[in-house]
Amino acid sequence: MSSSPLASVLFVCVHNAGRSQMAAGFLHHLAGDRIEVRSAGSAPGDRVNPAAVEAMREIGIDITAAKPKILTTEAVQASDYVITMGCGDACPVFPGKKYLDWTLEDPAGKGVEAVRPIRDEIRTRIEALITEIDAVAHGT
């Protein structure tokens, strides 16, 4: 079996502090090294949203080491899938990439109770994404 990933996914939100970090955490947790994971923000925050960290910790996924990163053209070019979450037109578009826009509530300023349903919606979308990537990689 090849050691190279099936695909590379970049998650983008404005602050790279909530939605994109939870999505990256889920994808890494559920797919392991089979899929390369990146996340970035068009205007990154100072730190990952503590409510997002807590919501993920509750289900056994640790994103405490994650740091918000600036969105770069290189990160987009290096990715097969670019999934935006409310960053509008800030994300550069390149031919040959698959772009998905996930409309998800912004967890900024919300407590963990309000972040849980966002987290659960992200998990559902990540599971579907993994199924799609596996199908494409195996030609089905």
Side-chain angles (χ1 to χ4, degrees), residues 18-111:
R19 296 165 288 188
S20 57
Q21 293 288 359
M22 289 190 287
F26 270 126
L27 186 55
H28 182 71
H29 178 77
L30 296 171
D33 293 337
R34 293 185 315 119
I35 299 171
E36 186 178 14
V37 182
R38 296 181 178 87
S39 70
S42 52
D46 296 329
R47 63 188 175 120
V48 174
N49 180 334
V53 171
E54 176 62 19
M56 295 297 283
R57 187 198 58 74
E58 289 176 351
I59 58 168
I61 300 174
D62 182 5
I63 61 170
T64 55
K67 303 279 185 246
K69 295 169 283 308
I70 187 73
L71 175 64
T72 64
T73 300
E74 293 77 22
V76 177
Q77 287 177 311
S79 301
D80 300 307
Y81 290 77
V82 179
I83 300 174
T84 58
M85 304 171 184
C87 68
D89 296 330
C91 192
V93 175
F94 293 97
K97 310 296 176 193
K98 177 152 188 180
Y99 290 86
L100 301 170
D101 185 43
W102 289 357
T103 303
L104 296 161
E105 189 176 346
D106 188 348
K110 295 178 172 36

